[in-house]
Each structure stands twice: as C-alpha cells, then as structure tokens.
Amino acid sequence: MFRATLAICGRTVAKRFISSLSGESALPSNLRLPPNLIGVAPQKRAFPSSSDLPVLRRCEADIPAHLAPAQTWLESLGSRDSEPLGVVDLHPDVFSVPLRLDILHAVEVWQRNFKRISHAKVKSRAEVSGGGRKPWNQKGSGRARHGSIRSPLWRGGGVAHGPRGPSSYYYMLPMKVRVQGLKIALTAKLAQDYLHIVDSLEIPTPDPHYLLDLVKHRQWGDSVLIVDVGDEFPQNILKVTEDMKTVNIIPAIGLNVHSMLKHESLVLTLEAVKFLEKKLLWHDVRYAPLYPFKLPYSDLP
Amino acid sequence: MSASVRSMSLTVCRAATVAYRAFNPATRSLRSRGFIESTEEFRFVERLVPPSRIPTPPKHEGPAPSGWIPPSATPPSLPYMIRRSRMHNVPVYSDIKHGNQHSTLLRKIEGDIWALNKDVKEFLLGLTGKEPPTQVNEITGTIRIKGLFDKELKDRLLKKGF
C-alpha cells in the first residue's frame, strides 16, 4: 500500500514537473526515486515540433490542404541505446482522426461477440425423460392438478425458457465503421505516446532478454505489439517473440482493435505504415460495392 | 502361345485407339485442329472490370457546365472547415421525420463547430427573420437545423469556398 501511494505520489509529482518544464527532461535532477518504485512515469521525449528536422518518410497519398501530417520519431531496434534516426510523416486521416470512443467501444464489443457461439442447451419438458402420463386423476385425490411429472413446476422437470441449443451472436458492423475503429485506435496510440515507428525488425541476437531490456529501457510499456508487412520476418525476432507472452508479432493484415487495446505499446515498421495508410485511406474514396470486394476490381489497394 | 496372341491383340487394340483418337475430329488436340491459342484478347475482359475508386474531377476554373462548383484550392481562413463528400459535393442534406418535421443536416464539420453554428444562425436570421433552433453534435461534427434550408446553405458554403 505504501509502495502504491509512493508510486502515485511519484507519478503526480512527475506529471506536475512535466507540465512546467516543457521541452527539457521531464524529471528534475535532484529528484531521487526509490529503486523499488513501481511504474515510474515515462519520461516523454519531446515530440518533433520544429520544422527544420529532415523528414525521412513522406506520405504517398494526398493530404487535404487544411491538415498537416502528424509527425513522430523513427527508431531502430539495432541496439538498446540507439538514438532515433529521424522524423517520419504520418497521414492525418489515419493517425489524427477525431477520437470517437463510442465507435472504438462498438468495434471492440463486435470483435468479442461476433465469433461467439454459445453451446448452452437445457432440456425442455418435452425432452426430459418420462412425464408422458398424468400422475394422478384430475379430481378426487385432493392434490393439485398436474398433467406430467416433468413440467417446469416439478423438481426434475424441464426448464421453461432456458437456452436452446447452440446459438450464435453473429452480426456485422458496417465496413466503414470497422475501418474507422482501426483509424481511431491508431490515433489514440499516437496521441498517448504509445506508437513507435521502426525502420526494420532486425535485432542482433535471438536472446529474449535483449528485447525485454530494450523495451524496459525505452519505457515502451508492459506489453508490445509488433506489426510488419508480408509473410517473411527476420528469424531473430520470431525466435524472441515465440515464447513471450507480453511481446507479440503479427502481420499487418492481422491488425485489429482488440489487439491494439490489449497491448500497451504498438510498434510499426515503415512498410506496415505504408500498407495501413494505403488500405485505410482507400475506404474514404471508394464507391459502394457493385459486387463484393472479394471479387476482382481493376484498382483494389 | 495364348499369351503372345493376347499381347498381340492388346497392341492392335491400343494402336486402333490412338489412330481413332488422332483422326476423329472431336478428340484431336486444339492445335492439331488448326486453332491458335492466344491470351492477348484477355484485355477485352480486363477493360470491362469496373474501378473501385471515385475519380477526382478534372480541373475547372469556376463552375462546370453541369453546375458543379469545385472547392477553392486554398481552404478559407475561417476557424472551421467543411469537407466535401466522397462524391465531391457539399455535405448539406434535408431530412423529414413523420412526414411533417423538416430539418437540414450539415455534416463533415471540423474545427470550431460553435463558430459555424453562430454563423449559420446569423445567416438564417437575416434570411427568414427568426433564428431557427439548431442541434450541435460536437462528437460527430454535425449541425441539425429545424426547417428546410439546404439550397440556401449550399449556396452560402459554395460562395465561401468550401
């Protein structure tokens, strides 16, 4: 309890100092945090705001005239202490959309429930064994009138309105709503400083401790989701993430809102950013489908 | 003796089958029947496949012959911005509920929505003489106005350059 209060105090102190000392290092030098402090507030590296930094990647798609691209650092996984390589541009219609938490909630709930098939089934009075015969005469016995010993009123009888058989909870949200959910999740990750862009997933050793140490040193959070395009990944990163529960790697087609919310931090490669921008921006300029998009069109993304 | 007779009859049968297949016009291969296989004509199929993206309209200086007015190249210097729809039209729509409740919906608003609300109210006050009730939805970026004003609002927004 004392450690928790110390953590909260440390965090609030750090927050106050972050707000007052903008641009410099977040915590003052004479602040001594105890070594067993849980959850030190992450020291935010100042977001690239100056326009003189060379931009290493520009957006392929056209950006609307009234919007400016979002910018963030390009990092490298090569060594634990490597500095950011530069600044990359991110399309504002994917990474700075208005944060509709209701859409995010709807997409998350849909993702959980549309696959659900509940197998709960109980026997009704017709299915319970026995109960075909009237237990006693209608009149004369002095007992209540009954037609079968398996009616829902009876102990051992069937259930009147119970769950009936495998039932599905399948429904589909409109495609554009699901796409907007992805965009909002990406925007939220960027806004909360949990999005990291990486040039490639090459790491020097297949040692899991290297990656854990890197994540801890850079204060990326407790869990990391790594996203890359294509079916070939470097062997080292695959070996490292194979047995780790908190650091996971997925291809870019597998990106979904639930995974993004489950993992604290999101790491995208430059190719993954290009792929996501292409796929997500197409939905803003497409026709309504003449026939399902599974069939060929001349210019699908 | 019987084995050699049997093998001889088998070879004769096989030869007869091959000869039959070669000379019967229905079973000869396409090339031997005088046809040429080619895949270049597939372009006639490919050009029938429709596009999935809405094309950007060609550059017009001023209104197009159909009456469509392009958005201005530089966005107007106002605290709000109204984007065009995906078909490049101004996002002002009229709505009816229960056959008698008319309203106008203004969508795709970004920036200071309350400034636009004040602007719209002033404009409609000058137009009709009374201020229509409006409903501002900050989260979705929409304004719903009581009454049918879609033509007037569309013209006003086009004049402003949205």
Side-chain angles (χ1 to χ4, degrees):
Chain A
M1 192 207 84
F2 182 64
R3 273 183 15 183
T5 49
L6 205 58
I8 294 165
C9 290
R11 236 179 268 146
T12 47
V13 160
K15 258 192 228 150
R16 247 183 285 135
F17 276 112
I18 286 168
S19 60
S20 54
L21 307 167
S22 55
E24 302 171 16
S25 68
L27 301 172
S29 48
N30 58 351
L31 178 72
R32 262 190 304 157
L33 298 166
N36 58 354
L37 187 67
I38 318 166
V40 184
Q43 299 165 16
K44 263 169 52 162
R45 182 192 300 275
F47 250 14
S49 54
S50 53
S51 49
D52 53 352
L53 285 164
V55 175
L56 295 177
R57 183 232 170 218
R58 300 238 177 238
C59 303
E60 275 93 24
D62 294 323
I63 301 179
H66 66 286
L67 294 172
Q71 291 190 318
T72 188
W73 295 109
L74 176 67
E75 301 179 30
S76 163
L77 292 177
S79 73
R80 188 187 103 131
D81 298 311
S82 59
E83 288 291 310
L85 303 167
V87 164
V88 292
D89 268 353
L90 299 171
H91 202 287
D93 278 339
V94 175
F95 288 94
S96 324
V97 298
L99 284 170
R100 292 279 305 270
L101 295 181
D102 58 324
I103 293 183
L104 205 61
H105 169 81
V107 173
E108 163 64 30
V109 165
W110 166 78
Q111 232 185 307
R112 274 207 307 257
N113 289 338
F114 85 107
K115 289 183 270 207
R116 178 179 168 207
I117 297 181
S118 103
H119 296 277
K121 182 176 187 173
V122 292
K123 291 184 166 32
S124 67
R125 63 182 286 174
E127 288 162 355
V128 176
S129 235
R133 182 178 55 199
K134 197 168 168 63
W136 45 78
N137 289 345
Q138 178 82 0
K139 301 186 73 63
S141 65
R143 287 171 285 185
R145 50 192 176 177
H146 286 291
S148 98
I149 56 166
R150 302 298 190 201
S151 91
L153 271 50
W154 282 64
R155 174 196 175 273
V159 177
H161 294 295
R164 293 299 298 156
S167 58
S168 105
Y169 290 76
Y170 174 80
Y171 67 103
M172 290 305 279
L173 284 177
M175 200 192 300
K176 292 182 197 162
V177 172
R178 288 177 271 136
V179 164
Q180 191 67 18
L182 276 172
K183 291 179 185 165
I184 293 168
L186 287 168
T187 312
K189 287 293 180 196
L190 180 65
Q192 292 179 324
D193 208 14
Y194 282 137
L195 183 72
H196 305 280
I197 314 285
V198 153
D199 54 349
S200 85
L201 296 181
E202 306 280 350
I203 49 174
T205 55
D207 183 21
H209 293 289
Y210 168 75
L211 199 61
L212 282 171
D213 193 35
L214 188 143
V215 167
K216 199 155 180 188
H217 171 75
R218 296 191 190 178
Q219 290 176 322
W220 279 0
D222 294 322
S223 47
V224 182
L225 185 64
I226 307 177
V227 183
D228 194 10
V229 185
D231 29 336
E232 299 292 330
F233 293 136
Q235 279 300 318
N236 280 349
I237 195 100
L238 280 179
K239 225 186 249 186
V240 162
T241 47
E242 209 170 344
D243 291 316
M244 277 217 262
K245 275 194 190 171
T246 53
V247 181
N248 295 314
I249 185 164
I250 54 167
I253 32 171
L255 191 64
N256 58 86
V257 164
H258 176 75
S259 299
M260 283 204 268
L261 295 176
K262 184 89 182 164
H263 294 79
E264 205 171 323
S265 177
L266 183 65
V267 171
L268 299 173
T269 52
L270 282 175
E271 293 87 47
V273 170
K274 184 170 147 190
F275 174 87
L276 287 171
E277 280 188 0
K278 193 168 73 144
K279 293 275 184 181
L280 294 176
L281 287 170
W282 171 73
H283 287 277
D284 287 339
V285 291
R286 64 167 175 88
Y287 283 115
L290 204 56
Y291 46 82
F293 287 121
K294 282 197 184 93
L295 300 173
Y297 282 80
S298 61
D299 57 356
L300 283 179
Chain B
M1 173 65 182
S2 61
S4 65
V5 163
R6 192 160 154 273
S7 63
M8 253 171 56
S9 60
L10 270 173
T11 41
V12 163
C13 277
R14 270 189 214 127
T17 326
V18 166
Y20 172 77
R21 285 222 177 108
F23 285 102
N24 188 8
T27 51
R28 268 163 57 192
S29 73
L30 276 173
R31 205 166 293 138
S32 55
R33 277 200 266 165
F35 288 103
I36 310 164
E37 290 178 22
S38 144
T39 50
E40 275 109 38
E41 282 76 20
F42 190 67
R43 61 186 176 88
F44 294 105
V45 173
E46 275 176 342
R47 69 185 194 180
L48 289 172
V49 174
S52 66
R53 269 170 241 251
I54 297 169
T56 44
K59 285 260 173 247
H60 288 278
E61 297 304 325
S66 64
W68 177 77
I69 302 177
S72 61
T74 50
S77 57
L78 289 161
Y80 46 84
M81 172 68 191
I82 301 179
R83 286 212 208 182
R84 291 284 181 111
S85 70
R86 62 180 64 211
M87 295 291 187
H88 312 288
N89 295 322
V90 177
V92 174
Y93 308 100
S94 58
D95 199 7
I96 305 183
K97 269 211 305 195
H98 328 118
N100 53 11
Q101 191 192 83
H102 301 276
S103 55
T104 315
L105 182 63
L106 206 58
R107 275 191 65 236
K108 298 195 87 146
I109 302 167
E110 292 168 13
D112 190 356
I113 199 168
W114 292 102
L116 174 62
N117 185 38
K118 198 159 80 96
D119 219 353
V120 157
K121 280 200 172 175
E122 274 166 16
F123 169 65
L124 292 175
L125 181 68
L127 202 70
T128 54
K130 47 184 179 195
E131 220 175 61
T134 59
Q135 182 195 41
V136 170
N137 191 333
E138 287 180 31
I139 304 168
T140 49
T142 57
I143 296 180
R144 190 174 280 276
I145 308 157
K146 184 175 174 187
L148 278 179
F149 302 108
D150 54 333
K151 266 199 218 31
E152 293 88 355
L153 277 174
K154 258 196 204 138
D155 294 330
R156 179 115 199 288
L157 291 174
L158 283 167
K159 215 162 59 166
K160 282 215 175 138
F162 284 117

